[in-house]
Amino acid sequence: MKKHIKDFNIGIAFSGGGIRAILFHSGVLHNLARHGLLENIKVISSVSGGSIFVGLLYSMNNGRWPTSKEYMINIFPFLRQIFCNLSIARYWYHHLANPLYWNYLPKRANFLGVTLRELWNIKGNLNELPEYPKWFIAATVSKNGKKWVFNRDYIGSKELGFAKPEDTALSEAIAASTAYPGIVGPFQLKTKKYTWYKDIPYSNSDKNKIVQPDNSIYYFYDGGLFDNLGCDSLFKKFGEELIDEIDSIIVSDACAPLSQEWFSKWKPLSRTKKMVDMILVNTDILRIRWMREYIEKNRSLGVLYRIDRHADELIPSHKKHLFKDSAFMSKDQLNVVRNLKTHLKKVSPAEFKYTIRNGYETAFIENRLYFDYYRNKSRTDL
């Protein structure tokens, strides 16, 4: 049984959670990069904020998944400037308030794709992505609540069929994955520009026939409505067997606990958001339960990093000796992370520092607990 993490072909899942997720995932990758593990990542699966995060990485690294060295040198040092100064939400709101952009009001999620392209420079098409690592960007089909996948080789779902991505923009796929109900979504995809097939691969044969779309436009919501952990694409059957390309799974979970505040009757959008959050949290609880069961049965094959957990919660008393050389963030610092809402606004320097640190420390603790490779490594300050 493998215990050296560098022996694994890793599939990594990035959850939703807006800017909080983007920051937490940044810290997780910083730890993995410090230990030279980004080269082991063979498959990526993402939803919502996790999709924006991966898109930004490709944007900052000339359209390629970064090596560990590239992440440390070309990406991580510049993240603070982006996250503390550039607000996706502000750009999106201000442009939609301009009459010149009112044609986007019925398709606000599509304008989110424009925002990602113009503000964060997430450009290019799906079919221009590198072959490896494979990247599955998930959205939720409004018609049936099932998963829809965007990737380099195809777009589609089992229920509606598959097509080549043609000139589908990467920013549009990410926007569909991030199309939060009510405020942003749904994302609209015109079906006539594609040739649809029943299965993958999309060759026209007796076993894989051309199918006709049942609507001129397909509508998609945030991928988190189906799977907010973002890990479904890493399994042949969820929680049972990994896909062939990988033999280990990392899940970076930055989903927030449900707010305990009452919504205002004068704010209808807050009611919608609260109902969606309840769906996401309950879905997340089930997925986490299944993931924990999978990891407990296959301890050397998977690890789950969860946001806003203090070191005292993560480290069992009988293993505290493994961390005697490490100093971790305080509970007051962790409260900054816990109070960070799900949004796409710019963040304060404190929110940036402590959320990234939480991701870094969580990855370090979980990996040291379960992989021998980390046992002789110090935490190393950010």
Side-chain angles (χ1 to χ4, degrees):
M1 184 177 294
K2 297 178 182 178
K3 285 293 285 181
H4 196 302
I5 194 171
K6 281 203 167 184
D7 292 335
F8 288 116
N9 293 317
I10 298 172
I12 190 166
F14 295 108
S15 78
I19 194 67
R20 180 187 61 256
I22 294 170
L23 293 173
F24 184 77
H25 301 329
S26 300
V28 165
L29 275 203
H30 189 211
N31 182 272
L32 298 179
R34 271 278 171 88
H35 299 290
L37 295 172
L38 298 197
E39 291 79 358
N40 290 68
I41 294 175
K42 307 303 180 185
V43 181
I44 304 162
S45 179
S46 65
V47 294
S48 198
S51 298
I52 296 177
F53 169 64
V54 180
L56 180 63
L57 296 185
Y58 277 87
S59 169
M60 296 178 72
N61 201 52
N62 298 316
R64 296 179 294 105
W65 177 252
T67 64
S68 297
K69 184 177 181 180
E70 286 170 338
Y71 185 82
M72 297 295 296
I73 296 174
N74 300 337
I75 295 177
F76 188 78
F78 303 99
L79 294 181
R80 175 171 176 151
Q81 180 179 355
I82 295 172
F83 299 148
C84 293
N85 292 285
L86 299 179
S87 170
I88 292 175
R90 182 180 178 86
Y91 185 100
W92 183 78
Y93 279 123
H94 280 214
H95 280 75
L96 288 179
N98 186 329
L100 293 175
Y101 294 90
W102 281 359
N103 62 308
Y104 275 106
L105 288 176
K107 44 184 180 178
R108 299 181 300 280
N110 294 66
F111 190 71
L112 178 58
V114 176
T115 301
L116 293 172
R117 185 172 66 247
E118 298 299 323
L119 188 66
W120 279 16
N121 200 38
I122 298 177
K123 297 181 179 179
N125 297 332
L126 285 174
N127 58 13
E128 296 171 344
L129 289 170
E131 185 176 2
Y132 293 102
K134 290 185 177 180
W135 178 17
F136 297 95
I137 304 169
T140 303
V141 181
S142 66
K143 176 182 178 179
N144 53 28
K146 300 293 186 179
K147 181 181 70 172
W148 179 277
V149 170
F150 295 88
N151 71 18
R152 175 182 181 270
D153 298 319
Y154 65 87
I155 63 174
S157 70
K158 293 179 180 178
E159 294 76 20
L160 296 178
F162 299 90
K164 293 182 180 181
E166 305 297 347
D167 59 350
T168 304
L170 175 59
S171 61
E172 292 177 348
I174 294 172
S177 179
T178 316
Y180 196 89
I183 301 172
V184 178
F187 181 88
Q188 301 181 24
L189 181 76
K190 294 182 179 180
T191 58
K192 290 184 179 180
K193 64 182 288 189
Y194 303 96
T195 301
W196 298 94
Y197 294 87
K198 182 178 180 181
D199 284 313
I200 308 168
Y202 22 75
S203 57
N204 188 17
S205 65
D206 291 338
K207 293 183 179 180
N208 192 14
K209 297 180 179 180
I210 291 177
V211 295
Q212 296 301 319
D214 62 2
N215 203 25
S216 61
I217 297 176
Y218 285 163
Y219 298 90
F220 306 108
Y221 285 109
D222 191 306
L225 293 177
F226 177 81
D227 167 27
N228 206 27
L229 288 184
C231 58
D232 187 81
S233 293
L234 301 179
F235 288 91
K236 292 180 180 178
K237 186 174 181 181
F238 188 82
E240 294 185 12
E241 184 181 4
L242 297 175
I243 59 176
D244 294 336
E245 293 87 347
I246 60 176
D247 50 27
S248 181
I249 182 173
I250 290 174
V251 180
S252 182
D253 174 19
C255 305
L258 185 66
S259 167
Q260 299 302 304
E261 300 174 355
W262 293 102
F263 55 73
S264 170
K265 65 179 180 179
W266 306 111
K267 297 179 179 179
L269 283 180
S270 72
R271 294 200 298 271
T272 300
K273 184 177 185 303
K274 184 76 171 185
M275 287 187 288
V276 173
D277 285 345
M278 285 190 287
I279 295 170
L280 292 177
V281 167
N282 286 312
T283 302
D284 193 35
I285 289 171
L286 290 174
R287 293 273 173 173
I288 289 173
R289 184 183 303 163
W290 292 332
M291 273 303 306
R292 280 179 172 167
E293 290 177 358
Y294 175 81
I295 290 171
E296 287 301 322
K297 292 177 183 177
N298 307 276
R299 174 52 72 184
S300 67
L301 300 183
V303 62
L304 173 65
Y305 310 142
R306 297 197 66 194
I307 199 170
D308 78 24
R309 299 313 194 262
H310 189 266
D312 290 342
E313 301 175 60
L314 294 173
I315 304 170
S317 57
H318 66 284
K319 290 194 175 182
K320 290 193 180 294
H321 65 280
L322 295 174
F323 302 91
K324 61 184 179 181
D325 63 333
S326 303
F328 299 106
M329 59 193 299
S330 69
K331 292 184 178 180
D332 286 340
Q333 292 169 339
L334 190 62
N335 282 335
V336 175
V337 181
R338 289 174 173 163
N339 292 329
L340 183 56
K341 305 291 186 182
T342 301
H343 60 67
L344 290 173
K345 304 174 185 177
K346 64 182 181 180
V347 296
S348 70
E351 289 170 333
F352 174 85
K353 177 180 179 179
Y354 295 130
T355 309
I356 282 186
R357 185 174 172 183
N358 183 220
Y360 185 97
E361 290 186 356
T362 300
F364 174 74
I365 291 170
E366 295 286 5
N367 289 345
R368 177 172 272 200
L369 286 173
Y370 300 113
F371 296 105
D372 291 338
Y373 174 72
Y374 270 70
R375 294 288 167 83
N376 298 319
K377 305 285 183 180
S378 63
R379 184 178 68 87
T380 311
D381 289 326
L382 284 168

mmCIF file of all heavy atoms in Angstrom, residues 94-111:
data_model
loop_
_atom_site.group_PDB
_atom_site.id
_atom_site.type_symbol
_atom_site.label_atom_id
_atom_site.label_comp_id
_atom_site.label_asym_id
_atom_site.label_seq_id
_atom_site.Cartn_x
_atom_site.Cartn_y
_atom_site.Cartn_z
ATOM 1 N N HIS A 94 -21.693 47.219 -11.759
ATOM 2 C CA HIS A 94 -21.595 48.552 -12.345
ATOM 3 C C HIS A 94 -21.856 48.533 -13.847
ATOM 4 O O HIS A 94 -22.479 49.452 -14.381
ATOM 5 C CB HIS A 94 -20.212 49.149 -12.052
ATOM 6 C CG HIS A 94 -20.110 49.722 -10.669
ATOM 7 N ND1 HIS A 94 -19.353 50.833 -10.363
ATOM 8 C CD2 HIS A 94 -20.675 49.354 -9.497
ATOM 9 C CE1 HIS A 94 -19.463 51.123 -9.082
ATOM 10 N NE2 HIS A 94 -20.254 50.224 -8.530
ATOM 11 N N HIS A 95 -21.394 47.498 -14.529
ATOM 12 C CA HIS A 95 -21.642 47.428 -15.955
ATOM 13 C C HIS A 95 -23.104 47.101 -16.250
ATOM 14 O O HIS A 95 -23.694 47.654 -17.198
ATOM 15 C CB HIS A 95 -20.719 46.397 -16.613
ATOM 16 C CG HIS A 95 -19.340 46.925 -16.858
ATOM 17 N ND1 HIS A 95 -18.417 47.081 -15.842
ATOM 18 C CD2 HIS A 95 -18.730 47.338 -17.998
ATOM 19 C CE1 HIS A 95 -17.296 47.563 -16.342
ATOM 20 N NE2 HIS A 95 -17.456 47.730 -17.642
ATOM 21 N N LEU A 96 -23.705 46.234 -15.463
ATOM 22 C CA LEU A 96 -25.112 45.906 -15.693
ATOM 23 C C LEU A 96 -26.031 47.085 -15.377
ATOM 24 O O LEU A 96 -27.165 47.144 -15.877
ATOM 25 C CB LEU A 96 -25.521 44.688 -14.852
ATOM 26 C CG LEU A 96 -24.960 43.341 -15.322
ATOM 27 C CD1 LEU A 96 -25.414 42.225 -14.389
ATOM 28 C CD2 LEU A 96 -25.388 43.030 -16.757
ATOM 29 N N ALA A 97 -25.571 48.022 -14.568
ATOM 30 C CA ALA A 97 -26.349 49.225 -14.276
ATOM 31 C C ALA A 97 -26.276 50.238 -15.416
ATOM 32 O O ALA A 97 -27.070 51.185 -15.467
ATOM 33 C CB ALA A 97 -25.855 49.869 -12.982
ATOM 34 N N ASN A 98 -25.344 50.039 -16.332
ATOM 35 C CA ASN A 98 -25.170 50.928 -17.472
ATOM 36 C C ASN A 98 -26.129 50.510 -18.588
ATOM 37 O O ASN A 98 -26.139 49.354 -19.002
ATOM 38 C CB ASN A 98 -23.716 50.829 -17.958
ATOM 39 C CG ASN A 98 -23.391 51.825 -19.052
ATOM 40 O OD1 ASN A 98 -24.238 52.200 -19.861
ATOM 41 N ND2 ASN A 98 -22.142 52.258 -19.084
ATOM 42 N N PRO A 99 -26.951 51.443 -19.100
ATOM 43 C CA PRO A 99 -27.913 51.084 -20.165
ATOM 44 C C PRO A 99 -27.273 50.406 -21.374
ATOM 45 O O PRO A 99 -27.949 49.648 -22.077
ATOM 46 C CB PRO A 99 -28.521 52.441 -20.542
ATOM 47 C CG PRO A 99 -28.395 53.270 -19.301
ATOM 48 C CD PRO A 99 -27.105 52.847 -18.669
ATOM 49 N N LEU A 100 -26.007 50.653 -21.621
ATOM 50 C CA LEU A 100 -25.328 50.033 -22.754
ATOM 51 C C LEU A 100 -25.242 48.510 -22.605
ATOM 52 O O LEU A 100 -25.067 47.793 -23.596
ATOM 53 C CB LEU A 100 -23.923 50.614 -22.914
ATOM 54 C CG LEU A 100 -23.837 52.080 -23.333
ATOM 55 C CD1 LEU A 100 -22.375 52.541 -23.337
ATOM 56 C CD2 LEU A 100 -24.458 52.293 -24.711
ATOM 57 N N TYR A 101 -25.393 48.031 -21.367
ATOM 58 C CA TYR A 101 -25.257 46.596 -21.093
ATOM 59 C C TYR A 101 -26.583 45.958 -20.673
ATOM 60 O O TYR A 101 -26.598 44.814 -20.242
ATOM 61 C CB TYR A 101 -24.208 46.367 -19.997
ATOM 62 C CG TYR A 101 -22.808 46.739 -20.413
ATOM 63 C CD1 TYR A 101 -22.327 48.026 -20.216
ATOM 64 C CD2 TYR A 101 -21.967 45.819 -21.022
ATOM 65 C CE1 TYR A 101 -21.044 48.381 -20.601
ATOM 66 C CE2 TYR A 101 -20.674 46.152 -21.405
ATOM 67 C CZ TYR A 101 -20.225 47.436 -21.194
ATOM 68 O OH TYR A 101 -18.953 47.779 -21.580
ATOM 69 N N TRP A 102 -27.690 46.685 -20.824
ATOM 70 C CA TRP A 102 -28.968 46.152 -20.351
ATOM 71 C C TRP A 102 -29.438 44.937 -21.138
ATOM 72 O O TRP A 102 -30.293 44.180 -20.677
ATOM 73 C CB TRP A 102 -30.024 47.249 -20.388
ATOM 74 C CG TRP A 102 -29.894 48.188 -19.211
ATOM 75 C CD1 TRP A 102 -28.972 48.104 -18.202
ATOM 76 C CD2 TRP A 102 -30.700 49.335 -18.933
ATOM 77 N NE1 TRP A 102 -29.135 49.138 -17.303
ATOM 78 C CE2 TRP A 102 -30.194 49.909 -17.727
ATOM 79 C CE3 TRP A 102 -31.774 49.941 -19.566
ATOM 80 C CZ2 TRP A 102 -30.752 51.056 -17.174
ATOM 81 C CZ3 TRP A 102 -32.332 51.084 -19.011
ATOM 82 C CH2 TRP A 102 -31.823 51.625 -17.816
ATOM 83 N N ASN A 103 -28.875 44.728 -22.331
ATOM 84 C CA ASN A 103 -29.233 43.527 -23.079
ATOM 85 C C ASN A 103 -28.758 42.257 -22.369
ATOM 86 O O ASN A 103 -29.229 41.153 -22.651
ATOM 87 C CB ASN A 103 -28.631 43.578 -24.486
ATOM 88 C CG ASN A 103 -27.112 43.629 -24.489
ATOM 89 O OD1 ASN A 103 -26.542 44.478 -23.801
ATOM 90 N ND2 ASN A 103 -26.465 42.780 -25.260
ATOM 91 N N TYR A 104 -27.830 42.424 -21.407
ATOM 92 C CA TYR A 104 -27.345 41.286 -20.626
ATOM 93 C C TYR A 104 -28.195 41.004 -19.383
ATOM 94 O O TYR A 104 -27.974 39.994 -18.710
ATOM 95 C CB TYR A 104 -25.905 41.533 -20.171
ATOM 96 C CG TYR A 104 -24.855 41.149 -21.186
ATOM 97 C CD1 TYR A 104 -24.171 42.122 -21.900
ATOM 98 C CD2 TYR A 104 -24.531 39.811 -21.424
ATOM 99 C CE1 TYR A 104 -23.194 41.786 -22.836
ATOM 100 C CE2 TYR A 104 -23.556 39.460 -22.354
ATOM 101 C CZ TYR A 104 -22.894 40.447 -23.050
ATOM 102 O OH TYR A 104 -21.934 40.108 -23.958
ATOM 103 N N LEU A 105 -29.145 41.861 -19.060
ATOM 104 C CA LEU A 105 -29.919 41.665 -17.831
ATOM 105 C C LEU A 105 -30.638 40.316 -17.784
ATOM 106 O O LEU A 105 -30.672 39.665 -16.736
ATOM 107 C CB LEU A 105 -30.912 42.822 -17.645
ATOM 108 C CG LEU A 105 -30.282 44.167 -17.242
ATOM 109 C CD1 LEU A 105 -31.356 45.250 -17.178
ATOM 110 C CD2 LEU A 105 -29.555 44.056 -15.901
ATOM 111 N N PRO A 106 -31.236 39.830 -18.890
ATOM 112 C CA PRO A 106 -31.869 38.501 -18.822
ATOM 113 C C PRO A 106 -30.855 37.353 -18.787
ATOM 114 O O PRO A 106 -31.227 36.220 -18.508
ATOM 115 C CB PRO A 106 -32.700 38.442 -20.125
ATOM 116 C CG PRO A 106 -32.741 39.838 -20.645
ATOM 117 C CD PRO A 106 -31.490 40.485 -20.179
ATOM 118 N N LYS A 107 -29.608 37.640 -19.121
ATOM 119 C CA LYS A 107 -28.563 36.613 -19.117
ATOM 120 C C LYS A 107 -27.335 37.127 -18.354
ATOM 121 O O LYS A 107 -26.231 37.203 -18.872
ATOM 122 C CB LYS A 107 -28.202 36.197 -20.538
ATOM 123 C CG LYS A 107 -28.035 37.328 -21.531
ATOM 124 C CD LYS A 107 -27.776 36.794 -22.931
ATOM 125 C CE LYS A 107 -27.604 37.945 -23.916
ATOM 126 N NZ LYS A 107 -27.314 37.463 -25.283
ATOM 127 N N ARG A 108 -27.586 37.435 -17.088
ATOM 128 C CA ARG A 108 -26.544 38.017 -16.246
ATOM 129 C C ARG A 108 -25.363 37.074 -16.049
ATOM 130 O O ARG A 108 -24.226 37.504 -15.921
ATOM 131 C CB ARG A 108 -27.150 38.408 -14.893
ATOM 132 C CG ARG A 108 -28.261 39.436 -14.995
ATOM 133 C CD ARG A 108 -28.832 39.821 -13.649
ATOM 134 N NE ARG A 108 -29.406 38.689 -12.920
ATOM 135 C CZ ARG A 108 -30.603 38.177 -13.134
ATOM 136 N NH1 ARG A 108 -31.376 38.687 -14.093
ATOM 137 N NH2 ARG A 108 -31.064 37.170 -12.414
ATOM 138 N N ALA A 109 -25.653 35.772 -16.005
ATOM 139 C CA ALA A 109 -24.563 34.806 -15.845
ATOM 140 C C ALA A 109 -23.620 34.846 -17.044
ATOM 141 O O ALA A 109 -22.410 34.665 -16.892
ATOM 142 C CB ALA A 109 -25.122 33.402 -15.663
ATOM 143 N N ASN A 110 -24.168 35.089 -18.228
ATOM 144 C CA ASN A 110 -23.311 35.200 -19.412
ATOM 145 C C ASN A 110 -22.393 36.411 -19.305
ATOM 146 O O ASN A 110 -21.241 36.376 -19.752
ATOM 147 C CB ASN A 110 -24.161 35.279 -20.675
ATOM 148 C CG ASN A 110 -24.932 33.995 -20.938
ATOM 149 O OD1 ASN A 110 -25.822 33.627 -20.168
ATOM 150 N ND2 ASN A 110 -24.592 33.303 -22.017
ATOM 151 N N PHE A 111 -22.902 37.487 -18.695
ATOM 152 C CA PHE A 111 -22.038 38.656 -18.509
ATOM 153 C C PHE A 111 -20.970 38.398 -17.453
ATOM 154 O O PHE A 111 -19.916 39.041 -17.476
ATOM 155 C CB PHE A 111 -22.851 39.902 -18.140
ATOM 156 C CG PHE A 111 -22.017 41.155 -18.169
ATOM 157 C CD1 PHE A 111 -21.585 41.671 -19.380
ATOM 158 C CD2 PHE A 111 -21.632 41.773 -16.997
ATOM 159 C CE1 PHE A 111 -20.787 42.811 -19.417
ATOM 160 C CE2 PHE A 111 -20.840 42.910 -17.023
ATOM 161 C CZ PHE A 111 -20.419 43.440 -18.237
#
